[in-house]
């Protein structure tokens, strides 16, 4: 099944999570533009209270753009972002108990963005076409052993870049 990748926009990604965009640093010292993180646009609350948070750097070889399974985590809001500015893709489906092909969406994620997945969001990736890429991954230490749900899809999904 072909899944056309959408360009990452906060509004279209909202059912699955939130987008963390770059913010120019040093603005907290500008009295004409005070910096109050908890009220700023782009403030993204995380759920990390159900375990011990861990920040990892994943070094991955070429994965291609196809997937036949999706995973979800019910205790943590996982964050993923590329290190080094490489663009990438993520397959997603909104949180829910059942996972069917008609719920699958895909996003093209620029290398200067991080995505935070809502608790329970189904996801597959990161996927990319580079020979290798590195990713920042924020989750709990036991996410993949004690908080891992998996759905095997009825058919393989292939992400196609947006036209």
């Amino acid at each position: 099944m072909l899944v056309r990748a959408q360009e990452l926009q906060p509004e279209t990604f909202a059912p699955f999570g939130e987008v963390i965009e770059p913010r120019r640093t040093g603005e907290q010292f500008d009295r004409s533009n005070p910096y109050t993180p908890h009220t700023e646009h782009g403030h993204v609350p995380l759920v990390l209270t159900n375990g011990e948070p861990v920040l990892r750097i994943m070094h991955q070889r070429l994965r291609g753009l196809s997937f036949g399974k999706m995973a979800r985590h019910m205790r943590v809001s996982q964050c993923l972002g590329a290190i080094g500015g490489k663009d990438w893709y993520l397959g997603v489906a909104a949180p829910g108990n059942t996972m069917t092909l008609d719920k699958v969406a895909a996003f093209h994620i620029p290398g200067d963005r991080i995505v935070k997945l809502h608790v329970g969001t189904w996801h597959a990736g990161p996927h990319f076409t580079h020979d290798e890429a590195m990713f920042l991954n924020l989750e709990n230490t036991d996410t993949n052993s004690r908080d891992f749900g998996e759905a095997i899809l009825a058919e393989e999904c292939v992400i196609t870049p947006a036209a």
Side-chain angles (χ1 to χ4, degrees):
M1 179 177 109
L2 296 179
V3 182
R4 181 156 311 276
Q6 303 172 55
E7 291 300 326
L8 184 68
Q9 298 294 327
E11 304 79 30
T12 53
F13 195 72
F16 316 106
E18 296 177 75
V19 178
I20 301 170
E21 299 179 21
R23 177 182 166 88
R24 188 169 305 278
T25 61
E27 292 178 357
Q28 66 268 32
F29 302 112
D30 182 353
R31 292 182 193 270
S32 65
N33 183 23
Y35 177 58
T36 52
H38 61 285
T39 62
E40 294 289 316
H41 166 73
H43 173 73
V44 177
L46 304 175
V47 176
L48 297 171
T49 56
N50 296 321
E52 181 183 341
V54 63
L55 179 63
R56 295 186 177 101
I57 296 176
M58 303 184 305
H59 183 192
Q60 297 184 336
R61 304 254 183 248
L62 176 64
R63 294 191 64 175
L65 300 179
S66 64
F67 58 93
K69 300 181 206 178
M70 296 186 90
R72 71 174 175 177
H73 312 297
M74 300 301 290
R75 296 174 42 221
V76 67
S77 53
Q78 184 176 15
C79 295
L80 292 166
I83 296 174
K86 293 182 178 179
D87 66 325
W88 56 288
Y89 297 86
L90 185 67
V92 291
N97 289 331
T98 58
M99 180 54 251
T100 57
L101 287 172
D102 63 320
K103 296 179 181 180
V104 176
F107 286 88
H108 172 245
I109 303 173
D112 65 348
R113 302 290 190 267
I114 296 173
V115 294
K116 182 218 74 173
L117 301 176
H118 293 316
V119 171
T121 293
W122 293 97
H123 58 283
H127 293 279
F128 51 91
T129 58
H130 314 289
D131 289 337
E132 60 185 4
M134 292 197 297
F135 295 89
L136 166 123
N137 180 17
L138 177 63
E139 59 187 4
N140 285 337
T141 56
D142 63 354
T143 293
N144 290 319
S145 60
R146 291 190 48 223
D147 186 24
F148 186 85
E150 180 178 82
I152 297 173
L153 302 175
E155 65 181 274
E156 190 87 357
C157 291
V158 178
I159 299 170
T160 60

